Amino acid sequence: MEIIKTVHHMQQTSDAIRQGGESLALVPTMGFFHEGHLTLMRAAKDHCDRLVVSLFVNPTQFGPNEDFEAYPRDTQGDLKKAEDAGADMVFMPSAGEMYPESAQTSVVVKDLPNHLCGLSRSGHFDGVTTVVAKLFHIVKPHVAVFGQKDYQQLSVISRMVMDLDMDIQIMGVPTVREADGLAMSSRNSYLSPEERKSALSLKKSLDLAQRLFHEGEKKAHIVKDFVRSYILEHPHTEIDYISLCDSVTLEDVNTLTDGTLMALAVRVGKTRLIDNGRLKK
Ligand code: PAF
């Protein structure tokens, strides 16, 4: 597995792969790999001849009071795991390589970021779309793979690709969960054993909403009230948002239908966790 640190070297390598007639997949990551990341890598490798994993903790998507400095890092462990999952190259630039001081351009999707996580993480999605657009121009993949756990991120990136006519296929991979249902996340490593138990309330509240819908409840505010009370029964929880929304526009809905998205963000202690699911009849 090759480790590539500069934009120029990555672009030259990708050009050579494309000219040789091979297809190229990209899995963009911020590292600290768990089974969720490795599932994305294996799915990407199944679809393409060569796999690039990018490993870059992107400073521009963290707010001033967020966990950029504390974000868990394990470069040596990550390189081993990426190689075992089939990566051919890891693109691992420095912050200076990605953001020269002279840079003046960012990529902004207009409406989709103004919902869900975007409401409490101002500027977050501008940071994500800008870095992902740069990664697309640097790695030049045919396919890029993202997790559905970050549903809004996947929607915003898909919109960017469509609006800017980027010739890249975006693949979304279902959320990978621990045996007890907790969605895998690098941030789970922040949880104390007691908080870890409370964190289960996210997935269980998705199951609760699904059960209510299945039993015939169609009113979003009723399901939301049940879910809110259920989550708050768990110690150390504070709700950022619970949204029942249209899965394409992310606009809140009053009436639940087959396919309505339920998305939530909950602080458990100091850790902000997200999860989502689509309601099924
Ligand atoms: O999902 C992530 O890990 C990041 O938001 C991404 C897509 C790698 C961009 O920094």
Side-chain angles (χ1 to χ4, degrees):
M1 187 179 73
E2 195 180 354
I3 295 172
I4 298 179
K5 295 197 171 174
T6 67
V7 169
H8 182 65
H9 184 189
M10 187 69 247
Q11 285 177 324
Q12 277 189 327
T13 306
S14 295
D15 284 344
I17 290 170
R18 280 179 161 258
Q19 278 156 19
E22 287 187 305
S23 58
L24 192 55
L26 169 66
V27 177
T29 80
M30 299 205 299
F32 209 66
F33 297 151
H34 48 66
E35 194 50 38
H37 294 107
L38 306 180
T39 303
L40 301 184
M41 293 177 204
R42 290 186 207 108
K45 194 61 194 249
D46 279 351
H47 276 76
C48 281
D49 301 316
R50 304 281 223 111
L51 168 60
V52 178
V53 173
S54 65
L55 200 171
F56 179 62
V57 185
N58 174 35
T60 67
Q61 68 187 77
F62 289 81
N65 300 318
E66 293 186 349
D67 57 345
F68 173 66
E69 296 295 343
Y71 197 82
R73 290 161 169 90
D74 174 19
T75 309
Q76 288 319 308
D78 283 348
L79 292 175
K80 166 95 180 60
K81 287 178 188 165
E83 185 161 27
D84 291 348
D88 299 288
M89 286 148 277
V90 172
F91 176 55
M92 227 171 67
S94 65
E97 181 71 11
M98 286 301 273
Y99 297 113
E101 275 180 20
S102 56
Q104 300 187 25
T105 306
S106 59
V107 178
V108 177
V109 173
K110 207 159 45 132
D111 294 331
L112 285 173
N114 300 330
H115 302 280
L116 310 181
C117 292
L119 295 175
S120 58
R121 301 191 72 190
S122 166
H124 167 72
F125 288 107
D126 299 350
V128 170
T129 41
T130 301
V131 80
V132 171
K134 283 172 71 71
L135 289 168
F136 286 175
H137 286 112
I138 296 166
V139 177
K140 312 183 192 196
H142 296 90
V143 176
V145 182
F146 297 86
Q148 288 171 1
K149 195 197 105 196
D150 296 296
Y151 188 98
Q152 187 176 16
Q153 170 170 282
L154 181 57
S155 302
V156 169
I157 290 168
S158 302
R159 188 76 247 176
M160 170 186 80
V161 165
M162 208 183 300
D163 290 350
L164 298 183
D165 305 304
M166 293 176 168
D167 188 13
I168 298 172
Q169 183 197 338
I170 301 298
M171 249 176 72
V173 171
T175 303
V176 180
R177 298 180 181 280
E178 304 284 357
D180 58 7
L182 180 66
M184 287 195 186
S185 161
S186 302
R187 291 188 169 102
N188 291 350
S189 65
Y190 299 149
L191 298 168
S192 71
E194 218 200 15
E195 290 169 349
R196 173 74 180 64
K197 283 188 201 146
S198 290
L200 281 183
S201 62
L202 278 85
K203 169 66 167 103
K204 288 196 172 149
S205 71
L206 292 172
D207 296 342
L208 169 65
Q210 172 58 43
R211 199 170 65 242
L212 292 169
F213 178 62
H214 192 70
E215 285 166 1
E217 185 55 69
K218 297 272 190 313
K219 292 197 179 79
H221 73 95
I222 294 197
V223 171
K224 231 186 253 187
D225 286 348
F226 268 103
V227 165
R228 183 175 298 108
S229 312
Y230 175 75
I231 291 174
L232 294 177
E233 278 168 18
H234 296 75
H236 314 295
T237 54
E238 189 190 324
I239 293 168
D240 179 352
Y241 67 80
I242 300 165
S243 173
L244 287 152
C245 62
D246 181 275
S247 63
V248 176
T249 63
L250 307 183
E251 305 268 1
D252 277 342
V253 295
N254 296 323
T255 307
L256 306 177
T257 55
D258 197 29
T260 294
L261 177 74
M262 173 161 149
L264 68 166
V266 177
R267 246 169 237 290
V268 184
K270 288 201 164 75
T271 310
R272 186 177 179 280
L273 300 174
I274 58 172
D275 207 340
N276 69 80
R278 303 275 297 275
L279 299 178
K280 285 188 216 80
K281 267 198 185 138

